[in-house]
Amino acid sequence: MYDFFYLEGAYLILGAFALLITLFVTTRPFMSKGAVKKGLLWVSLVVAVMVGAHYTITSNRMGKVASAFEQDKVIICESRATRKVAQTVLIQKSNGWSLKDNNFISSNYSRPFFIARCIVK
């Protein structure tokens, strides 16, 4: 459950904001009588499907990356430390990397790389 809120927290906040906007718009005098129920129903359904799909896709990719790492395949991770040069880092188990709590860790780098921001090469 922690992973869900960690991965989808920002999208849940955006979804709540979309629901608040829907509530504001559907309570205006020019809207029809059942607009509040219909609007909140459809917007919450769309937000739930989108958040659920994003979580499913991300967690599946995380599983594939973890299993590929255990097979000593090359993993490409996004490096947010420098935006101009070397925006990606190549990670491989045989190069001294380890996987701990969904983070790739190496003694050559000062910060870990979260597995959800990585793909298999």
Side-chain angles (χ1 to χ4, degrees):
M1 193 57 132
Y2 172 76
D3 283 343
F4 177 76
F5 287 113
Y6 185 75
L7 292 172
E8 305 301 323
Y11 299 115
L12 291 172
I13 291 170
L14 288 173
F17 186 67
L19 285 171
L20 288 173
I21 291 172
T22 303
L23 183 64
F24 178 77
V25 170
T26 55
T27 56
R28 299 298 96 195
F30 56 84
M31 297 297 290
S32 64
K33 194 171 189 176
V36 175
K37 286 182 183 178
K38 289 179 188 175
L40 290 177
L41 173 74
W42 286 107
V43 171
S44 61
L45 182 67
V46 167
V47 168
V49 167
M50 289 172 60
V51 167
H54 183 266
Y55 178 72
T56 302
I57 291 168
T58 303
S59 60
N60 287 340
R61 187 179 68 244
M62 287 171 60
K64 289 177 184 176
V65 168
S67 65
F69 178 75
E70 293 302 323
Q71 297 171 6
D72 201 30
K73 293 183 179 177
V74 177
I75 309 296
I76 302 171
C77 287
E78 175 187 22
S79 177
R80 293 183 173 180
T82 55
R83 286 291 186 183
K84 296 181 181 181
V85 180
Q87 292 182 348
T88 60
V89 174
L90 299 178
I91 293 174
Q92 196 169 10
K93 192 173 189 176
S94 61
N95 290 336
W97 287 90
S98 63
L99 181 61
K100 183 179 179 185
D101 297 329
N102 289 333
N103 289 305
F104 290 114
I105 300 170
S106 174
S107 59
N108 297 329
Y109 286 88
S110 60
R111 65 179 208 77
F113 293 92
F114 188 54
I115 195 171
R117 308 291 177 245
C118 303
I119 58 170
V120 180
K121 183 174 183 181

